[in-house]
Amino acid sequence: MLSSRHVLSIADLSADDIARVLETAESFAEVNERRIKKLPTLRGLTVINLFLEPSTRTRTSFEIAAKRLSADAINFSASASATVKGESLRDTAATLGAMACDLVVIRHRFAGAPRMLADMMDCSVVNGGDGMHEHPTQALLDLYTIRQRLGKLEGLRVGIVGDILHSRVAGSLVRALRIVGATPVLIGPATLMPSRPDVLGADVVLDLDEVLPSLDVAYMLRVQSERASGMPFPSVREYAALWGMNAARLGALPSHGIVMHPGPMNRGVEISADVADDTRSLVLQQVEAGVAVRMAVMYLLLGGADSGAAA
Ligand code: NCD
């Protein structure tokens, strides 16, 4: 079990919760390597994916995770425009409640929408990404991936590079890294830094090349043009030259250093094509970890820990 019945923010999780999720995900990762990848653990339970923002990989990942645990996974499509108002989200919550679902995964363009939904519903709610706020399961799968490759989390220096301002991935990852004793370093143009980075509790460095040799992980963020108002940097070429990961910069990382990206990647902008495909880039390992970690979150939230069926 986890200490909260929802996962809306990394702040809902204690250090013990995070350790439990990572440990449980490890046993599910083994299941995912078998030919028959299905466990009966959540048979009879219903998981609804309420994705009101475009998403392929995260929605698919949650859907596969639910199905591998034998839950009935349903993609509930409501038009984003019908649910932008609080009143409409209330109607959606009532509708989902009447369908007696056990867990709702919500992605919404407004920060705080998952919290509203959780307050209005009896079932568990998982935040699949809300506005520029948080994306907690992404941070959990990132921790899993880092630990799998580097063998530990405590004491690592993780540079989060690029569009911090608009990134819910960064919002969750900074919090999660601090809980596990790693040091997040925010790196990027001043125009893409939040106005109060100190609130997040991370150091800020404006020069990527200066900091690379001290990093264990370079976590590249997607430039979120759809969220930016105006042009926060002169050109894509300049962005790539100053902030993009490329072969020369990969060489400047320590030899054990790794590169990560939450996807979808803008090849040639925040990451060059050759680095994206390099063995030190863990992008696909992150996607793989996503399924196991989301299985673990669902299992722990829905009381699966009592049945002892993880193995
Ligand atoms: C992220 C998201 O949507 O927040 N992607 C994802 O979940 N796979 C990051 C992004 O879109 O840049």
Side-chain angles (χ1 to χ4, degrees):
M1 299 286 270
L2 298 176
S3 46
S4 162
R5 51 191 286 256
H6 308 294
V7 177
L8 306 175
S9 157
I10 288 293
D12 291 331
L13 302 172
S14 65
D16 279 351
D17 287 331
I18 291 182
R20 199 162 298 133
V21 170
L22 300 186
E23 192 185 306
T24 309
E26 247 168 56
S27 54
F28 288 134
E30 277 168 36
V31 174
N32 287 336
E33 281 167 21
R34 300 183 194 158
R35 199 167 84 82
I36 307 293
K37 300 174 186 64
K38 208 160 171 129
L39 296 171
T41 323
L42 299 184
R43 192 162 51 203
L45 300 182
T46 304
V47 173
I48 294 196
N49 269 327
L50 179 65
F51 274 63
L52 303 172
E53 244 194 3
S55 162
T56 314
R57 93 185 55 207
T58 305
R59 187 180 53 69
T60 310
S61 179
F62 274 107
E63 189 178 343
I64 292 176
K67 288 186 165 151
R68 295 229 170 127
L69 294 174
S70 301
D72 294 312
I74 285 115
N75 293 320
F76 186 96
S77 50
S79 96
S81 60
T83 52
V84 287
K85 295 182 189 128
E87 195 54 33
S88 307
L89 191 61
R90 195 176 299 279
D91 284 342
T92 308
T95 307
L96 297 179
M99 291 174 182
C101 61
D102 299 285
L103 186 145
V104 178
V105 182
I106 176 174
R107 169 167 285 201
H108 201 287
R109 70 187 177 101
F110 284 160
R115 174 79 58 188
M116 272 182 73
L117 193 73
D119 289 345
M120 294 184 294
M121 296 195 66
D122 292 331
C123 70
S124 288
V125 175
V126 172
N127 179 1
D130 61 334
M132 304 192 296
H133 177 225
E134 281 225 30
H135 191 355
T137 59
Q138 177 72 45
L140 292 168
L141 73 89
D142 292 332
L143 294 185
Y144 182 94
T145 308
I146 296 171
R147 195 179 69 166
Q148 197 184 30
R149 176 63 75 104
L150 299 181
K152 62 170 185 175
L153 293 166
E154 206 179 333
L156 296 181
R157 255 168 85 78
V158 179
I160 305 174
V161 188
D163 187 355
I164 319 282
L165 178 62
H166 301 106
S167 176
R168 54 192 173 209
V169 172
S172 287
L173 186 57
V174 168
R175 291 183 179 96
L177 288 168
R178 286 168 55 84
I179 293 176
V180 300
T183 305
V185 185
L186 303 181
I187 307 156
T191 49
L192 290 174
M193 280 294 160
S195 54
R196 294 286 310 277
D198 55 310
V199 172
L200 274 175
D203 296 335
V204 174
V205 177
L206 297 178
D207 185 342
L208 175 59
D209 292 308
E210 170 199 308
V211 76
L212 280 172
S214 74
L215 298 179
D216 301 291
V217 180
Y219 194 102
M220 312 310 293
L221 294 173
R222 182 173 68 86
V223 176
Q224 313 227 329
S225 347
E226 79 278 16
R227 296 189 200 284
S229 53
M231 189 69 176
F233 44 84
S235 71
V236 163
R237 254 174 83 157
E238 182 180 300
Y239 185 92
L242 289 172
W243 312 109
M245 180 52 64
N246 54 35
R249 291 197 168 118
L250 183 63
L253 280 175
S255 55
H256 68 273
I258 52 175
V259 177
M260 298 171 71
H261 191 300
M265 290 185 279
N266 294 309
R267 283 172 184 251
V269 186
E270 67 268 0
I271 188 165
S272 66
D274 52 347
V275 175
D277 299 329
D278 195 277
T279 52
R280 289 167 70 189
S281 148
L282 301 192
V283 179
L284 291 178
Q285 284 87 338
Q286 288 172 269
V287 177
E288 192 180 331
V291 175
V293 164
R294 289 176 176 122
M295 287 169 80
V297 167
M298 289 178 186
Y299 171 76
L300 293 169
L301 283 179
L302 294 178
D306 299 333
S307 69

